Amino acid sequence: MSTKITINNNGSIRVEGEFEIFDMEGKKFDLNGRSMISFCRCGCSNNKPFCDGAHKSCGFMSTIEARTLPPIPQK
Ligand code: FES
């Protein structure tokens, strides 16, 4: 199974499939069996890094459309 990441308009980043989440110390989050999680993209969540729905009341606006990224710079 692969991992699907969806950038929601005016909201979170949803990750679903097989994934693991770690903090900066390398400690793994215990997701209690979840195969889908939403990360906060607006900065308003009281449960960072996860979305708690606060984007709806904090006025976050960001519409995203898939696009081709520029080539990776060569060193
Ligand atoms: S994206 Fe939902 S609370 Fe920030």
Side-chain angles (χ1 to χ4, degrees), residues 10-41:
N10 309 321
S12 65
I13 298 172
R14 186 176 65 225
V15 180
E16 49 195 318
E18 287 187 14
F19 59 87
E20 296 176 316
I21 306 171
F22 298 86
D23 67 14
M24 286 294 292
E25 308 300 321
K27 267 181 54 183
K28 191 163 88 172
F29 282 78
D30 180 352
L31 301 177
N32 263 320
R34 287 173 176 81
S35 59
M36 191 280 288
I37 207 92
S38 291
F39 288 106
C40 177
R41 182 164 84 89

Side-chain angles (χ1 to χ4, degrees), residues 1-15:
M1 177 187 278
S2 64
T3 304
K4 180 181 180 184
I5 300 173
T6 305
I7 314 301
N8 291 314
N9 287 338
N10 309 321
S12 65
I13 298 172
R14 186 176 65 225
V15 180

Side-chain angles (χ1 to χ4, degrees), residues 25-65:
E25 308 300 321
K27 267 181 54 183
K28 191 163 88 172
F29 282 78
D30 180 352
L31 301 177
N32 263 320
R34 287 173 176 81
S35 59
M36 191 280 288
I37 207 92
S38 291
F39 288 106
C40 177
R41 182 164 84 89
C42 73
C44 297
S45 174
N46 286 314
N47 189 31
K48 292 181 190 76
F50 307 107
C51 171
D52 68 357
H55 58 268
K56 295 174 192 154
S57 58
C58 78
F60 181 63
M61 302 289 285
S62 174
T63 301
I64 299 297
E65 188 172 321

